[in-house]
Amino acid sequence: MHDFFYKDNELYCEKVRVRDIAEKTGTPVYIYSYKTFVEHLEKIQKAFRPIKPLICYSMKANSNLAILKSLVQKGSGLDIVSGGELYRAKKAGCPPERIVYAGVGKTAEEIEEALRSGILLFNVESVPELETINRIARRLKKIANISLRVNPGIDPQTHDHIATGKAESKFGMDMETAEKIFLSPGHYKALCLCGVHVHIGSQIVTGQPFIEAFWKVLSFIDELAKEKVKIKYLNLGGGLGVIYSTENPQTADEFAKNVLPLFKGRQYQVIFEPGRFISANGGILVGKVLYIKQTKVKNFAIVDTGMHDLIRPTLYGAHHEVWPLAKDEKAAKWVYDVVGPICESGDFLAKDRHIQELKADDYLAFMTAGAYGFVMSSNYNSHPRPAEVLVSGKQFAVVRKRETVPSLVAGETIPDFVSK
Ligand code: LLP
């Protein structure tokens, strides 16, 4: 599943001892395994080979340039959601015909830049957005490929914050609205209405919600076909769940086995946008114990990282395994809350965990942090963001320098009227 493992009680990433990295770069540090990232991409590519899908890695999960380049070189496209992500995608050398652009709030500037770049497809989420793209494309004398994101009204049985396919969510449009648009193509002279997009949520561990959503979309497309509307692109989103603790999600092969029969006799260019599936297991966050604090009711391991570096535990109640870099099997197990330095009670990385007895300066790894980890980090309480390191075999490289304290105030000025 991933390439982090113990050898002689020391945690390794591929062929590198994680402690050697931590000592060189300092902590906190995100560490990624090249092999794990690429193998997860290849798992989906292989499983779906019969229908030759375009896999557009959803770069919101982890958008470090070195990660993007690694995946793009292995044939991945990219799913973007902002002008910033488009910039990164281009910097990583992603061919524009492998870029798809989603999101409910694309600005006119972002749309123009994407059109000029010649991306493959806009996944459109509302009528006003469609009109904006049409207007800009006309001005630029371009034709924009459009896929309409439909909201199938399905509960994907995941955390509420990351369920996107329910009727009350802000994402996509209902099928009647989408149908009306498809049936009035003359209205949008600069658009090619040729795709359907569906993405019902994230960290979905069972197959059923996917099948239900895909069925709904396919019968929608069949209805459109009766009206002579031809669909070329079918974008099936991301959402595949991964193992954080005891989950038992479907593998890429199981997913393909369930989904491929739905496409028998159909000729679309299928697009998938997995984010977490490709990146979650490939990364860890490493921090160091600063203090052990015992109260009447708790043992706290206070570490030099926290919700500002990895917000998932406090935002979603997410579970990340805590592995000491140096394992001591004989040590007594204690029950700890692993907490950070931030002045919020929500600043925890793990609660009530049985971990070997810890002391100051021990290193800890927070597992499965390759997706939605660094990208959701902040400078709250004026902490510089961690470094990021990529490992491949025996080699490793810092792929993003640790931020410095002066860089935190680099864009700030004190105007005369306050200093006088
Ligand atoms: N496509 C679209 C249109 C999306 O909105 C997303 C994720 C994906 C693909 C990729 O989904 P994935 O394969 O990674 O499940 N921060 C949250 C997850 C937010 C997901 C947002 N959209 C977390 O840490 O769990």
Side-chain angles (χ1 to χ4, degrees):
M1 181 179 85
H2 61 71
D3 295 273
F4 297 93
F5 55 88
Y6 285 105
K7 196 167 97 189
D8 301 329
N9 289 327
E10 284 278 348
L11 187 64
Y12 276 72
C13 174
E14 302 193 19
K15 293 191 171 132
V16 181
R17 196 167 68 153
V18 174
R19 188 171 13 152
D20 293 337
I21 301 175
E23 280 171 359
K24 181 141 189 218
T25 64
T27 54
V29 55
Y30 273 95
I31 299 175
Y32 308 126
S33 155
Y34 173 87
K35 182 163 175 266
T36 312
F37 271 79
V38 166
E39 280 184 0
H40 279 79
L41 169 67
E42 287 171 350
K43 277 182 198 193
I44 309 197
Q45 286 171 332
K46 274 189 202 133
F48 283 95
R49 189 160 287 155
I51 57 168
K52 297 202 189 77
L54 174 61
I55 312 289
C56 290
Y57 165 63
S58 191
M59 63 184 278
K60 62 175 81 66
N62 185 327
S63 55
N64 184 286
L65 290 179
I67 296 292
L68 300 183
K69 186 80 184 174
S70 309
L71 297 172
V72 165
Q73 274 184 324
K74 296 286 175 187
S76 183
L78 297 172
D79 157 45
I80 65 166
V81 287
S82 69
E85 289 196 347
L86 175 60
Y87 182 81
R88 283 177 179 274
K90 289 200 281 190
K91 272 237 154 214
C94 186
E97 63 277 10
R98 284 199 243 144
I99 299 178
V100 295
Y101 187 176
V104 295
K106 306 175 186 83
T107 66
E109 293 74 23
E110 289 174 318
I111 291 168
E112 179 161 345
E113 186 54 35
L115 278 167
R116 288 188 189 282
S117 306
I119 66 163
L120 177 67
L121 202 56
F122 288 87
N123 293 312
V124 171
E125 310 235 7
S126 68
V127 174
E129 182 195 332
L130 203 61
E131 280 163 4
T132 304
I133 300 176
N134 187 48
R135 201 180 58 244
I136 299 171
R138 276 189 91 154
R139 174 162 55 77
L140 300 180
K141 299 197 172 38
K142 289 188 184 283
I143 300 291
N145 279 342
I146 301 293
S147 108
L148 297 182
R149 177 168 180 179
V150 294
N151 184 333
I154 281 174
D155 181 357
Q157 292 144 29
T158 185
H159 192 284
D160 253 3
H161 291 189
I162 53 176
T164 52
K166 293 195 210 171
E168 66 267 31
S169 108
K170 71 173 175 178
F171 297 100
M173 52 182 83
D174 59 67
M175 297 204 182
E176 294 88 81
T177 308
E179 187 179 356
K180 271 193 209 139
I181 297 169
F182 278 120
L183 295 182
S184 55
H187 187 68
Y188 301 105
K189 300 244 172 343
L191 306 183
C192 170
L193 299 167
C194 52
V196 177
H197 177 218
V198 64
H199 169 80
I200 54 173
S202 197
Q203 183 55 13
I204 303 169
V205 290
T206 62
Q208 198 47 37
F210 288 107
I211 299 296
E212 245 178 82
F214 298 168
W215 257 127
K216 276 199 172 180
V217 167
L218 288 173
S219 27
F220 174 63
I221 293 177
D222 290 343
E223 287 305 308
L224 291 176
K226 288 184 197 152
E227 306 286 343
K228 308 266 177 293
V229 176
K230 269 208 176 143
I231 294 303
K232 180 169 178 201
Y233 299 105
L234 179 52
N235 184 335
L236 297 174
L240 278 176
V242 303
I243 301 174
Y244 287 95
S245 57
T246 55
E247 299 89 344
N248 184 19
Q250 46 181 354
T251 61
D253 283 338
E254 285 162 352
F255 184 49
K257 210 172 125 206
N258 290 331
V259 168
L260 283 175
L262 305 181
F263 295 102
K264 263 221 164 104
R266 295 173 181 268
Q267 300 287 327
Y268 320 113
Q269 169 63 70
V270 169
I271 299 168
F272 287 109
E273 306 167 330
R276 189 189 316 262
F277 181 83
I278 289 177
S279 57
N281 290 134
I284 60 173
L285 169 64
V286 175
K288 193 164 155 176
V289 177
L290 298 174
Y291 305 107
I292 299 297
K293 172 172 171 175
Q294 288 174 278
T295 69
K296 285 190 182 136
V297 289
K298 287 272 183 188
N299 300 313
F300 291 104
I302 301 171
V303 292
D304 62 356
T305 177
M307 66 183 283
H308 53 309
D309 295 330
L310 180 62
I311 202 172
R312 303 193 69 259
T314 190
L315 192 56
Y316 315 114
H319 179 102
H320 289 264
E321 288 287 312
V322 183
W323 290 10
L325 295 203
K327 188 159 79 170
D328 180 355
E329 268 159 350
K330 290 193 208 107
K333 286 254 158 77
W334 285 47
V335 179
Y336 290 103
D337 277 12
V338 184
V339 300
I342 301 295
C343 298
E344 300 243 6
S345 299
D347 180 24
F348 60 88
L349 292 171
K351 279 193 167 173
D352 297 320
R353 286 299 170 79
H354 293 258
I355 308 173
Q356 69 190 43
E357 186 175 1
L358 297 172
K359 56 181 185 334
D361 294 334
D362 282 350
Y363 289 115
L364 294 176
F366 302 92
M367 307 303 290
T368 327
Y372 307 110
F374 183 88
V375 285
M376 292 178 81
S377 65
S378 76
N379 294 123
Y380 189 36
N381 286 193
S382 285
H383 287 283
R385 266 176 249 250
E388 293 177 284
V389 166
L390 183 63
V391 176
S392 179
K394 286 188 207 152
Q395 315 173 65
F396 71 89
V398 173
V399 292
R400 192 181 203 270
K401 281 195 275 189
R402 178 180 312 289
E403 285 180 354
T404 61
V405 170
S407 77
L408 297 180
V409 295
E412 298 180 23
T413 49
I414 303 173
D416 285 350
F417 59 80
V418 293
S419 46
K420 267 190 197 147

